[in-house]
Amino acid sequence: RARQAGPPDGGWGWMIVAGCFLVTICTRAVTRCISIFFVEFQAYFGQDYARTAWIHSIVDCATMLCAPLGSLISNHVSCQVGIMLGGLLASTGLILSSFATSLEHLYLSLGVLTGLGFALCYSPAIAMVGKYFNKRKALAYGIAMSGSGIGTFILAPVVQLLIEQFSWRGALLILGGFVLNLCVCGALMRPISLKEDCKTAPELLEQNDVPETEKQDLKRMSICSPLIKLWPHECSCYCSWKEYDFLLMPGFMVLAVSILFMAYGCSPLFVYLVPYALSVGVSHHQAAFLMSILGVIDIIGNVTFGWLTDRRCLKKHRYFCYLFAVGMDGLSCLFLPVLQSFPLLVPFSFTFGYFDGAYVTLIPVVTADVVGTPLLSSALGVVYFLHAIPYLVSPPVAGWLVDTTGSYTASFLLSGFSMIFSSALLCLARLAKKIKRTHLRPLTGNTALKQHIWTNGAIAYSVTAELDQRDVEILAVDTNSFSNR
């Protein structure tokens, strides 16, 4: 297959966006709609809310926990095969759940099996969008990720209607058939081979988007080149490097820690917004309308923020746009305890929903900026894996705080400060990196790029590296002593 010089930024790429859009509907939107079955499960099996709530926690946790497995299958087999296999597993889990006789049965079928299927589809589909787009990457991600909000807005009343018409068993059976559309989405994911996925070390050194740690490794390889033959003319595959070397990159480690705090802060809000609204005197209809506003504005945030950050004036600052969006969601959570009426909660839903959609769109973009596009699939698997534990732990912790303090204030304050800390951590890391570059610039100003080629009569050897004045003097002494022999 011929390799393209760069992402096409269009063409079949828009079909990839459409496929990813459907994947987010079939995975994230269906996961959110599982909460509609809670009352039915609780009444049928005669269990309390705490035990029934574990179903949603398990499927959400399994989706994120197994995300690296989806990236592994996508990298070593095929993105198409991975998504199709995930669709079959998720559909099987929903169909088996329709025959459940206990909550434990649902934990395994609806929680583990369906969550595993979603994991095999989610991160590979998102990574494929990054391979097809560069200039309009944020816009493409905004459209693709908006499937979660649009799917929730459409599927929620449809699922409720299915439950009323066919009972919860029939609704799960129909959802199982709907999720089989993931196999169609997988068929759309046509693989693409880019020249940047397969380059020699000197070519990678000339690129500005290669992470600094990777450039340092390449320089060390170049310095040691007297011990090996001249770089071969054929392409040395960049993907043959260890797929998870980025885990040791300082930039990615900081991003990983910030993701943990961000995921912890955002999860409780979706669980406890309606109960909080009811506790301050808002009617059931108005409380449900707050969630509808949240879902619709989330879609607008996905698309518009993606389009805005693709503009020339903001494209170079997408990292700080992500920090701003996460920080604004954190501030919104801090003000929530003083908003105790429906007219005040409506602006909160607008603000939180918009910036939630904004930073969700930019997560793959920021990850690609940190590790590079060739490692995006593996890196996204790890990033979504890091969401698993906070998603599993934060709602019960928030509930414990409500039971202990008798109010929602502590829960919302903890969520807000967690998201603000996530944003501040990345901001401090970027500032520290900029300060370090400023201090190192005078030290590297006198270095020169030197190239030395010599032969032993049969084979030509070459080394290209940055040599300071001391290295040049040592090399000159060694050369003179060799010639005197």
Side-chain angles (χ1 to χ4, degrees):
R1 188 189 302 117
R3 295 185 176 88
Q4 297 191 28
D9 269 298
W12 190 259
W14 294 116
M15 294 301 296
I16 300 296
V17 170
C20 187
F21 176 84
L22 291 175
V23 167
T24 55
I25 291 178
C26 293
T27 55
R28 304 309 300 156
V30 170
T31 299
R32 290 183 179 181
C33 290
I34 289 176
S35 60
I36 300 174
F37 291 90
F38 276 9
V39 176
E40 302 295 329
F41 292 155
Q42 188 177 6
Y44 186 86
F45 296 108
Q47 299 292 339
D48 58 14
Y49 180 81
R51 292 195 63 193
T52 309
W54 277 104
I55 298 173
H56 188 278
S57 296
I58 292 173
V59 65
D60 225 347
C61 180
T63 301
M64 299 304 176
L65 198 65
C66 299
L69 180 60
S71 299
L72 191 68
I73 294 176
S74 174
N75 291 338
H76 290 277
V77 183
S78 168
C79 181
Q80 294 173 314
V81 171
I83 295 177
M84 288 181 179
L85 178 61
L88 290 174
L89 288 176
S91 177
T92 301
L94 286 165
I95 292 173
L96 291 177
S97 298
S98 67
F99 300 99
T101 56
S102 66
L103 281 184
E104 288 74 16
H105 186 162
L106 289 173
Y107 292 161
L108 293 175
S109 58
L110 188 56
V112 177
L113 189 58
T114 302
L116 175 61
F118 288 164
L120 298 184
C121 302
Y122 192 55
S123 56
I126 294 174
M128 283 296 292
V129 176
K131 289 183 177 294
Y132 271 84
F133 286 88
N134 184 23
K135 295 179 181 179
R136 292 177 284 185
K137 183 182 292 185
L139 175 61
Y141 273 127
I143 297 173
M145 304 294 280
S146 66
S148 177
I150 294 176
T152 304
F153 181 73
I154 296 175
L155 283 181
V158 171
V159 169
Q160 184 62 49
L161 181 63
L162 291 176
I163 293 174
E164 294 173 0
Q165 294 293 325
F166 305 105
S167 79
W168 64 269
R169 295 186 184 275
L172 285 175
L173 193 63
I174 294 172
L175 274 182
F178 172 74
V179 167
L180 273 176
N181 284 296
L182 287 170
C183 296
V184 179
C185 299
L188 292 175
M189 299 297 169
R190 181 190 298 172
I192 184 173
S193 183
L194 304 176
K195 288 185 177 180
E196 66 178 12
D197 295 335
C198 188
K199 287 190 175 182
T200 60
E203 291 173 341
L204 288 170
L205 277 170
E206 296 175 358
Q207 288 190 345
N208 294 326
D209 58 347
V210 177
E212 289 298 324
T213 54
E214 303 292 349
K215 286 188 176 182
Q216 292 173 6
D217 292 337
L218 288 168
K219 290 175 183 177
R220 284 195 290 268
M221 291 172 64
S222 298
I223 293 172
C224 296
S225 61
L227 303 177
I228 59 175
K229 293 183 180 180
L230 184 65
W231 287 100
H233 293 289
E234 59 267 19
C235 182
S236 175
C237 188
Y238 181 60
C239 295
S240 65
W241 286 24
K242 295 180 180 178
E243 295 177 10
Y244 293 94
D245 278 350
F246 61 84
L247 292 174
L248 300 178
M249 293 171 54
F252 184 81
M253 287 191 285
V254 174
L255 177 65
V257 174
S258 71
I259 288 290
L260 290 174
F261 284 94
M262 182 273 293
Y264 180 90
C266 71
S267 183
L269 191 281
F270 290 97
V271 179
Y272 293 105
L273 177 60
V274 171
Y276 170 73
L278 295 175
S279 70
V280 296
V282 176
S283 67
H284 285 79
H285 175 74
Q286 290 175 329
F289 185 62
L290 290 174
M291 288 300 295
S292 297
I293 293 174
L294 203 66
V296 173
I297 300 301
D298 188 278
I299 302 166
I300 298 174
N302 284 141
V303 178
T304 60
F305 212 76
W307 179 82
L308 286 172
T309 51
D310 272 338
R311 301 303 93 193
R312 182 176 298 178
C313 57
L314 290 178
K315 191 169 186 178
K316 295 182 180 179
H317 306 290
R318 290 186 294 200
Y319 188 91
F320 290 101
C321 290
Y322 169 78
L323 304 186
F324 176 75
V326 174
M328 287 299 296
D329 263 0
L331 286 174
S332 300
C333 289
L334 294 183
F335 284 104
L336 183 56
V338 301
L339 307 177
Q340 299 187 0
S341 65
F342 180 72
L344 294 177
L345 288 172
V346 169
F348 167 82
S349 294
F350 272 92
T351 304
F352 188 90
Y354 182 81
F355 287 108
D356 178 75
Y359 76 74
V360 166
T361 296
L362 292 180
I363 285 177
V365 179
V366 171
T367 305
D369 290 342
V370 172
V371 304
T373 302
L375 296 175
L376 180 59
S377 180
S378 299
L380 278 179
V382 175
V383 165
Y384 291 124
F385 168 83
L386 294 172
H387 285 68
I389 302 302
Y391 277 3
L392 184 67
V393 172
S394 58
V397 170
W400 176 79
L401 288 174
V402 173
D403 293 335
T404 304
T405 62
S407 71
Y408 291 88
T409 302
S411 299
F412 291 144
L413 289 180
L414 183 59
S415 295
F417 282 121
S418 180
M419 299 189 77
I420 290 175
F421 178 78
S422 171
S423 178
L425 182 64
L426 288 176
C427 185
L428 290 175
R430 179 54 64 94
L431 291 177
K433 186 176 181 181
K434 185 173 291 187
I435 293 172
K436 183 178 179 181
R437 285 180 179 177
T438 303
H439 285 292
L440 289 178
R441 192 170 297 166
L443 299 177
T444 58
N446 296 326
T447 61
L449 190 64
K450 304 293 182 179
Q451 183 173 10
H452 300 274
I453 303 176
W454 65 92
T455 66
N456 64 357
I459 302 175
Y461 294 90
S462 172
V463 58
T464 303
E466 290 184 357
L467 302 177
D468 58 19
Q469 188 62 33
R470 184 180 177 183
D471 293 330
V472 173
E473 293 173 0
I474 294 174
L475 186 61
V477 171
D478 291 340
T479 305
N480 292 332
S481 61
F482 179 82
S483 61
N484 291 333
R485 292 180 185 178

PDB file of all heavy atoms in Angstrom, residues 299-327:
ATOM      1  N   ILE A 299     -23.320  18.749  23.164  1.00  0.00           N
ATOM      2  CA  ILE A 299     -23.129  18.595  21.713  1.00  0.00           C
ATOM      3  C   ILE A 299     -22.578  19.879  21.110  1.00  0.00           C
ATOM      4  O   ILE A 299     -21.631  19.863  20.310  1.00  0.00           O
ATOM      5  CB  ILE A 299     -24.470  18.234  21.035  1.00  0.00           C
ATOM      6  CG1 ILE A 299     -25.044  16.951  21.629  1.00  0.00           C
ATOM      7  CG2 ILE A 299     -24.295  18.091  19.537  1.00  0.00           C
ATOM      8  CD1 ILE A 299     -26.489  16.721  21.261  1.00  0.00           C
ATOM      9  N   ILE A 300     -23.167  21.012  21.496  1.00  0.00           N
ATOM     10  CA  ILE A 300     -22.708  22.301  20.966  1.00  0.00           C
ATOM     11  C   ILE A 300     -21.257  22.548  21.350  1.00  0.00           C
ATOM     12  O   ILE A 300     -20.453  23.046  20.544  1.00  0.00           O
ATOM     13  CB  ILE A 300     -23.616  23.435  21.484  1.00  0.00           C
ATOM     14  CG1 ILE A 300     -25.052  23.220  20.992  1.00  0.00           C
ATOM     15  CG2 ILE A 300     -23.093  24.797  21.045  1.00  0.00           C
ATOM     16  CD1 ILE A 300     -26.055  24.209  21.558  1.00  0.00           C
ATOM     17  N   GLY A 301     -20.897  22.194  22.583  1.00  0.00           N
ATOM     18  CA  GLY A 301     -19.515  22.346  23.015  1.00  0.00           C
ATOM     19  C   GLY A 301     -18.562  21.484  22.202  1.00  0.00           C
ATOM     20  O   GLY A 301     -17.461  21.924  21.846  1.00  0.00           O
ATOM     21  N   ASN A 302     -18.982  20.248  21.897  1.00  0.00           N
ATOM     22  CA  ASN A 302     -18.156  19.366  21.068  1.00  0.00           C
ATOM     23  C   ASN A 302     -17.795  20.003  19.740  1.00  0.00           C
ATOM     24  O   ASN A 302     -16.618  20.058  19.353  1.00  0.00           O
ATOM     25  CB  ASN A 302     -18.884  18.045  20.805  1.00  0.00           C
ATOM     26  CG  ASN A 302     -18.886  17.100  21.993  1.00  0.00           C
ATOM     27  OD1 ASN A 302     -19.875  16.443  22.259  1.00  0.00           O
ATOM     28  ND2 ASN A 302     -17.793  17.011  22.721  1.00  0.00           N
ATOM     29  N   VAL A 303     -18.813  20.471  19.041  1.00  0.00           N
ATOM     30  CA  VAL A 303     -18.624  20.934  17.665  1.00  0.00           C
ATOM     31  C   VAL A 303     -18.003  22.328  17.608  1.00  0.00           C
ATOM     32  O   VAL A 303     -17.008  22.553  16.914  1.00  0.00           O
ATOM     33  CB  VAL A 303     -19.959  20.897  16.898  1.00  0.00           C
ATOM     34  CG1 VAL A 303     -19.767  21.420  15.478  1.00  0.00           C
ATOM     35  CG2 VAL A 303     -20.516  19.485  16.871  1.00  0.00           C
ATOM     36  N   THR A 304     -18.580  23.282  18.356  1.00  0.00           N
ATOM     37  CA  THR A 304     -18.112  24.666  18.242  1.00  0.00           C
ATOM     38  C   THR A 304     -16.704  24.838  18.807  1.00  0.00           C
ATOM     39  O   THR A 304     -15.887  25.558  18.222  1.00  0.00           O
ATOM     40  CB  THR A 304     -19.076  25.631  18.957  1.00  0.00           C
ATOM     41  OG1 THR A 304     -19.155  25.287  20.348  1.00  0.00           O
ATOM     42  CG2 THR A 304     -20.450  25.560  18.337  1.00  0.00           C
ATOM     43  N   PHE A 305     -16.389  24.188  19.936  1.00  0.00           N
ATOM     44  CA  PHE A 305     -15.057  24.340  20.508  1.00  0.00           C
ATOM     45  C   PHE A 305     -14.016  23.668  19.611  1.00  0.00           C
ATOM     46  O   PHE A 305     -12.897  24.155  19.476  1.00  0.00           O
ATOM     47  CB  PHE A 305     -15.003  23.743  21.913  1.00  0.00           C
ATOM     48  CG  PHE A 305     -14.049  24.450  22.831  1.00  0.00           C
ATOM     49  CD1 PHE A 305     -14.385  25.668  23.388  1.00  0.00           C
ATOM     50  CD2 PHE A 305     -12.823  23.902  23.146  1.00  0.00           C
ATOM     51  CE1 PHE A 305     -13.512  26.338  24.233  1.00  0.00           C
ATOM     52  CE2 PHE A 305     -11.941  24.554  23.985  1.00  0.00           C
ATOM     53  CZ  PHE A 305     -12.295  25.783  24.536  1.00  0.00           C
ATOM     54  N   GLY A 306     -14.416  22.546  18.999  1.00  0.00           N
ATOM     55  CA  GLY A 306     -13.509  21.915  18.044  1.00  0.00           C
ATOM     56  C   GLY A 306     -13.236  22.811  16.851  1.00  0.00           C
ATOM     57  O   GLY A 306     -12.095  22.932  16.393  1.00  0.00           O
ATOM     58  N   TRP A 307     -14.289  23.477  16.340  1.00  0.00           N
ATOM     59  CA  TRP A 307     -14.112  24.384  15.201  1.00  0.00           C
ATOM     60  C   TRP A 307     -13.263  25.593  15.590  1.00  0.00           C
ATOM     61  O   TRP A 307     -12.373  26.011  14.849  1.00  0.00           O
ATOM     62  CB  TRP A 307     -15.485  24.838  14.697  1.00  0.00           C
ATOM     63  CG  TRP A 307     -15.411  25.787  13.538  1.00  0.00           C
ATOM     64  CD1 TRP A 307     -15.252  25.467  12.212  1.00  0.00           C
ATOM     65  CD2 TRP A 307     -15.461  27.211  13.597  1.00  0.00           C
ATOM     66  NE1 TRP A 307     -15.220  26.606  11.449  1.00  0.00           N
ATOM     67  CE2 TRP A 307     -15.343  27.694  12.264  1.00  0.00           C
ATOM     68  CE3 TRP A 307     -15.611  28.126  14.635  1.00  0.00           C
ATOM     69  CZ2 TRP A 307     -15.370  29.047  11.971  1.00  0.00           C
ATOM     70  CZ3 TRP A 307     -15.633  29.476  14.339  1.00  0.00           C
ATOM     71  CH2 TRP A 307     -15.518  29.931  13.022  1.00  0.00           C
ATOM     72  N   LEU A 308     -13.516  26.156  16.776  1.00  0.00           N
ATOM     73  CA  LEU A 308     -12.775  27.338  17.210  1.00  0.00           C
ATOM     74  C   LEU A 308     -11.288  27.054  17.389  1.00  0.00           C
ATOM     75  O   LEU A 308     -10.438  27.846  16.986  1.00  0.00           O
ATOM     76  CB  LEU A 308     -13.353  27.861  18.533  1.00  0.00           C
ATOM     77  CG  LEU A 308     -14.708  28.582  18.452  1.00  0.00           C
ATOM     78  CD1 LEU A 308     -15.233  28.869  19.848  1.00  0.00           C
ATOM     79  CD2 LEU A 308     -14.577  29.871  17.663  1.00  0.00           C
ATOM     80  N   THR A 309     -10.956  25.905  17.978  1.00  0.00           N
ATOM     81  CA  THR A 309      -9.548  25.596  18.238  1.00  0.00           C
ATOM     82  C   THR A 309      -8.813  25.142  16.982  1.00  0.00           C
ATOM     83  O   THR A 309      -7.595  24.939  17.034  1.00  0.00           O
ATOM     84  CB  THR A 309      -9.423  24.509  19.320  1.00  0.00           C
ATOM     85  OG1 THR A 309     -10.255  23.388  18.991  1.00  0.00           O
ATOM     86  CG2 THR A 309      -9.830  25.046  20.676  1.00  0.00           C
ATOM     87  N   ASP A 310      -9.521  24.971  15.871  1.00  0.00           N
ATOM     88  CA  ASP A 310      -8.869  24.712  14.588  1.00  0.00           C
ATOM     89  C   ASP A 310      -8.531  26.000  13.849  1.00  0.00           C
ATOM     90  O   ASP A 310      -7.844  25.973  12.829  1.00  0.00           O
ATOM     91  CB  ASP A 310      -9.761  23.842  13.687  1.00  0.00           C
ATOM     92  CG  ASP A 310      -9.537  22.363  13.922  1.00  0.00           C
ATOM     93  OD1 ASP A 310      -8.463  22.011  14.430  1.00  0.00           O
ATOM     94  OD2 ASP A 310     -10.434  21.571  13.603  1.00  0.00           O
ATOM     95  N   ARG A 311      -9.031  27.145  14.359  1.00  0.00           N
ATOM     96  CA  ARG A 311      -8.704  28.422  13.732  1.00  0.00           C
ATOM     97  C   ARG A 311      -7.230  28.741  13.958  1.00  0.00           C
ATOM     98  O   ARG A 311      -6.615  28.335  14.941  1.00  0.00           O
ATOM     99  CB  ARG A 311      -9.558  29.549  14.295  1.00  0.00           C
ATOM    100  CG  ARG A 311     -11.073  29.391  14.135  1.00  0.00           C
ATOM    101  CD  ARG A 311     -11.472  29.224  12.693  1.00  0.00           C
ATOM    102  NE  ARG A 311     -11.561  27.808  12.325  1.00  0.00           N
ATOM    103  CZ  ARG A 311     -11.651  27.361  11.098  1.00  0.00           C
ATOM    104  NH1 ARG A 311     -11.621  28.214  10.085  1.00  0.00           N
ATOM    105  NH2 ARG A 311     -11.729  26.066  10.857  1.00  0.00           N
ATOM    106  N   ARG A 312      -6.660  29.506  13.038  1.00  0.00           N
ATOM    107  CA  ARG A 312      -5.227  29.800  13.074  1.00  0.00           C
ATOM    108  C   ARG A 312      -4.816  30.492  14.377  1.00  0.00           C
ATOM    109  O   ARG A 312      -3.742  30.233  14.913  1.00  0.00           O
ATOM    110  CB  ARG A 312      -4.852  30.676  11.879  1.00  0.00           C
ATOM    111  CG  ARG A 312      -3.369  31.000  11.790  1.00  0.00           C
ATOM    112  CD  ARG A 312      -3.059  31.782  10.523  1.00  0.00           C
ATOM    113  NE  ARG A 312      -3.383  31.017   9.333  1.00  0.00           N
ATOM    114  CZ  ARG A 312      -3.236  31.482   8.084  1.00  0.00           C
ATOM    115  NH1 ARG A 312      -2.771  32.719   7.898  1.00  0.00           N
ATOM    116  NH2 ARG A 312      -3.557  30.732   7.047  1.00  0.00           N
ATOM    117  N   CYS A 313      -5.686  31.346  14.915  1.00  0.00           N
ATOM    118  CA  CYS A 313      -5.318  32.103  16.110  1.00  0.00           C
ATOM    119  C   CYS A 313      -5.287  31.233  17.360  1.00  0.00           C
ATOM    120  O   CYS A 313      -4.592  31.553  18.330  1.00  0.00           O
ATOM    121  CB  CYS A 313      -6.286  33.271  16.310  1.00  0.00           C
ATOM    122  SG  CYS A 313      -8.022  32.765  16.444  1.00  0.00           S
ATOM    123  N   LEU A 314      -6.034  30.122  17.374  1.00  0.00           N
ATOM    124  CA  LEU A 314      -6.107  29.276  18.565  1.00  0.00           C
ATOM    125  C   LEU A 314      -5.449  27.914  18.389  1.00  0.00           C
ATOM    126  O   LEU A 314      -5.271  27.187  19.374  1.00  0.00           O
ATOM    127  CB  LEU A 314      -7.575  29.058  18.971  1.00  0.00           C
ATOM    128  CG  LEU A 314      -8.327  30.274  19.532  1.00  0.00           C
ATOM    129  CD1 LEU A 314      -9.771  29.902  19.824  1.00  0.00           C
ATOM    130  CD2 LEU A 314      -7.646  30.785  20.794  1.00  0.00           C
ATOM    131  N   LYS A 315      -5.085  27.558  17.156  1.00  0.00           N
ATOM    132  CA  LYS A 315      -4.587  26.210  16.910  1.00  0.00           C
ATOM    133  C   LYS A 315      -3.329  25.908  17.716  1.00  0.00           C
ATOM    134  O   LYS A 315      -3.141  24.796  18.216  1.00  0.00           O
ATOM    135  CB  LYS A 315      -4.321  26.029  15.408  1.00  0.00           C
ATOM    136  CG  LYS A 315      -4.052  24.580  15.021  1.00  0.00           C
ATOM    137  CD  LYS A 315      -4.068  24.412  13.518  1.00  0.00           C
ATOM    138  CE  LYS A 315      -3.940  22.945  13.137  1.00  0.00           C
ATOM    139  NZ  LYS A 315      -4.003  22.756  11.673  1.00  0.00           N
ATOM    140  N   LYS A 316      -2.446  26.896  17.859  1.00  0.00           N
ATOM    141  CA  LYS A 316      -1.219  26.693  18.606  1.00  0.00           C
ATOM    142  C   LYS A 316      -1.446  26.690  20.116  1.00  0.00           C
ATOM    143  O   LYS A 316      -0.541  26.352  20.874  1.00  0.00           O
ATOM    144  CB  LYS A 316      -0.203  27.777  18.249  1.00  0.00           C
ATOM    145  CG  LYS A 316       0.271  27.732  16.805  1.00  0.00           C
ATOM    146  CD  LYS A 316       1.303  28.813  16.538  1.00  0.00           C
ATOM    147  CE  LYS A 316       1.790  28.764  15.084  1.00  0.00           C
ATOM    148  NZ  LYS A 316       2.792  29.826  14.807  1.00  0.00           N
ATOM    149  N   HIS A 317      -2.649  27.055  20.528  1.00  0.00           N
ATOM    150  CA  HIS A 317      -2.940  27.173  21.962  1.00  0.00           C
ATOM    151  C   HIS A 317      -4.019  26.181  22.403  1.00  0.00           C
ATOM    152  O   HIS A 317      -4.713  26.430  23.389  1.00  0.00           O
ATOM    153  CB  HIS A 317      -3.381  28.604  22.286  1.00  0.00           C
ATOM    154  CG  HIS A 317      -2.422  29.655  21.823  1.00  0.00           C
ATOM    155  ND1 HIS A 317      -1.184  29.854  22.399  1.00  0.00           N
ATOM    156  CD2 HIS A 317      -2.506  30.555  20.806  1.00  0.00           C
ATOM    157  CE1 HIS A 317      -0.553  30.838  21.781  1.00  0.00           C
ATOM    158  NE2 HIS A 317      -1.330  31.276  20.802  1.00  0.00           N
ATOM    159  N   ARG A 318      -4.167  25.067  21.667  1.00  0.00           N
ATOM    160  CA  ARG A 318      -5.196  24.097  22.023  1.00  0.00           C
ATOM    161  C   ARG A 318      -4.942  23.477  23.385  1.00  0.00           C
ATOM    162  O   ARG A 318      -5.876  23.104  24.096  1.00  0.00           O
ATOM    163  CB  ARG A 318      -5.287  23.010  20.952  1.00  0.00           C
ATOM    164  CG  ARG A 318      -5.868  23.503  19.654  1.00  0.00           C
ATOM    165  CD  ARG A 318      -6.095  22.410  18.646  1.00  0.00           C
ATOM    166  NE  ARG A 318      -4.870  21.802  18.186  1.00  0.00           N
ATOM    167  CZ  ARG A 318      -4.766  21.099  17.049  1.00  0.00           C
ATOM    168  NH1 ARG A 318      -5.833  20.965  16.282  1.00  0.00           N
ATOM    169  NH2 ARG A 318      -3.631  20.555  16.698  1.00  0.00           N
ATOM    170  N   TYR A 319      -3.666  23.352  23.769  1.00  0.00           N
ATOM    171  CA  TYR A 319      -3.322  22.818  25.090  1.00  0.00           C
ATOM    172  C   TYR A 319      -3.922  23.690  26.190  1.00  0.00           C
ATOM    173  O   TYR A 319      -4.550  23.182  27.132  1.00  0.00           O
ATOM    174  CB  TYR A 319      -1.798  22.755  25.205  1.00  0.00           C
ATOM    175  CG  TYR A 319      -1.266  22.063  26.434  1.00  0.00           C
ATOM    176  CD1 TYR A 319      -1.002  20.696  26.424  1.00  0.00           C
ATOM    177  CD2 TYR A 319      -0.988  22.781  27.586  1.00  0.00           C
ATOM    178  CE1 TYR A 319      -0.483  20.062  27.539  1.00  0.00           C
ATOM    179  CE2 TYR A 319      -0.478  22.156  28.709  1.00  0.00           C
ATOM    180  CZ  TYR A 319      -0.224  20.798  28.676  1.00  0.00           C
ATOM    181  OH  TYR A 319       0.285  20.180  29.797  1.00  0.00           O
ATOM    182  N   PHE A 320      -3.767  25.008  26.075  1.00  0.00           N
ATOM    183  CA  PHE A 320      -4.298  25.913  27.090  1.00  0.00           C
ATOM    184  C   PHE A 320      -5.823  26.046  26.983  1.00  0.00           C
ATOM    185  O   PHE A 320      -6.492  26.325  27.984  1.00  0.00           O
ATOM    186  CB  PHE A 320      -3.631  27.283  26.973  1.00  0.00           C
ATOM    187  CG  PHE A 320      -2.189  27.280  27.398  1.00  0.00           C
ATOM    188  CD1 PHE A 320      -1.174  27.256  26.458  1.00  0.00           C
ATOM    189  CD2 PHE A 320      -1.845  27.258  28.740  1.00  0.00           C
ATOM    190  CE1 PHE A 320       0.153  27.234  26.848  1.00  0.00           C
ATOM    191  CE2 PHE A 320      -0.522  27.234  29.137  1.00  0.00           C
ATOM    192  CZ  PHE A 320       0.483  27.225  28.193  1.00  0.00           C
ATOM    193  N   CYS A 321      -6.379  25.830  25.793  1.00  0.00           N
ATOM    194  CA  CYS A 321      -7.841  25.798  25.666  1.00  0.00           C
ATOM    195  C   CYS A 321      -8.417  24.618  26.446  1.00  0.00           C
ATOM    196  O   CYS A 321      -9.474  24.738  27.094  1.00  0.00           O
ATOM    197  CB  CYS A 321      -8.242  25.704  24.196  1.00  0.00           C
ATOM    198  SG  CYS A 321      -7.910  27.194  23.232  1.00  0.00           S
ATOM    199  N   TYR A 322      -7.709  23.488  26.401  1.00  0.00           N
ATOM    200  CA  TYR A 322      -8.129  22.318  27.183  1.00  0.00           C
ATOM    201  C   TYR A 322      -8.079  22.639  28.676  1.00  0.00           C
ATOM    202  O   TYR A 322      -9.023  22.321  29.428  1.00  0.00           O
ATOM    203  CB  TYR A 322      -7.222  21.137  26.848  1.00  0.00           C
ATOM    204  CG  TYR A 322      -7.382  19.950  27.759  1.00  0.00           C
ATOM    205  CD1 TYR A 322      -8.446  19.071  27.613  1.00  0.00           C
ATOM    206  CD2 TYR A 322      -6.471  19.703  28.782  1.00  0.00           C
ATOM    207  CE1 TYR A 322      -8.595  17.985  28.452  1.00  0.00           C
ATOM    208  CE2 TYR A 322      -6.604  18.617  29.616  1.00  0.00           C
ATOM    209  CZ  TYR A 322      -7.667  17.766  29.457  1.00  0.00           C
ATOM    210  OH  TYR A 322      -7.813  16.690  30.296  1.00  0.00           O
ATOM    211  N   LEU A 323      -6.994  23.268  29.128  1.00  0.00           N
ATOM    212  CA  LEU A 323      -6.871  23.635  30.542  1.00  0.00           C
ATOM    213  C   LEU A 323      -7.987  24.582  30.954  1.00  0.00           C
ATOM    214  O   LEU A 323      -8.560  24.450  32.044  1.00  0.00           O
ATOM    215  CB  LEU A 323      -5.512  24.306  30.798  1.00  0.00           C
ATOM    216  CG  LEU A 323      -4.252  23.542  30.422  1.00  0.00           C
ATOM    217  CD1 LEU A 323      -3.019  24.306  30.891  1.00  0.00           C
ATOM    218  CD2 LEU A 323      -4.253  22.160  31.037  1.00  0.00           C
ATOM    219  N   PHE A 324      -8.299  25.534  30.089  1.00  0.00           N
ATOM    220  CA  PHE A 324      -9.352  26.504  30.388  1.00  0.00           C
ATOM    221  C   PHE A 324     -10.703  25.810  30.537  1.00  0.00           C
ATOM    222  O   PHE A 324     -11.476  26.117  31.460  1.00  0.00           O
ATOM    223  CB  PHE A 324      -9.402  27.556  29.278  1.00  0.00           C
ATOM    224  CG  PHE A 324     -10.507  28.558  29.437  1.00  0.00           C
ATOM    225  CD1 PHE A 324     -10.408  29.563  30.387  1.00  0.00           C
ATOM    226  CD2 PHE A 324     -11.632  28.501  28.630  1.00  0.00           C
ATOM    227  CE1 PHE A 324     -11.435  30.495  30.537  1.00  0.00           C
ATOM    228  CE2 PHE A 324     -12.648  29.422  28.777  1.00  0.00           C
ATOM    229  CZ  PHE A 324     -12.558  30.433  29.731  1.00  0.00           C
ATOM    230  N   ALA A 325     -11.010  24.873  29.640  1.00  0.00           N
ATOM    231  CA  ALA A 325     -12.296  24.182  29.688  1.00  0.00           C
ATOM    232  C   ALA A 325     -12.432  23.354  30.960  1.00  0.00           C
ATOM    233  O   ALA A 325     -13.479  23.383  31.626  1.00  0.00           O
ATOM    234  CB  ALA A 325     -12.455  23.291  28.453  1.00  0.00           C
ATOM    235  N   VAL A 326     -11.381  22.613  31.329  1.00  0.00           N
ATOM    236  CA  VAL A 326     -11.429  21.809  32.556  1.00  0.00           C
ATOM    237  C   VAL A 326     -11.562  22.707  33.780  1.00  0.00           C
ATOM    238  O   VAL A 326     -12.341  22.430  34.703  1.00  0.00           O
ATOM    239  CB  VAL A 326     -10.168  20.926  32.673  1.00  0.00           C
ATOM    240  CG1 VAL A 326     -10.141  20.193  34.012  1.00  0.00           C
ATOM    241  CG2 VAL A 326     -10.108  19.916  31.525  1.00  0.00           C
ATOM    242  N   GLY A 327     -10.802  23.814  33.805  1.00  0.00           N
ATOM    243  CA  GLY A 327     -10.891  24.740  34.925  1.00  0.00           C
ATOM    244  C   GLY A 327     -12.260  25.377  35.067  1.00  0.00           C
ATOM    245  O   GLY A 327     -12.767  25.555  36.185  1.00  0.00           O
TER     246      GLY A 327
END
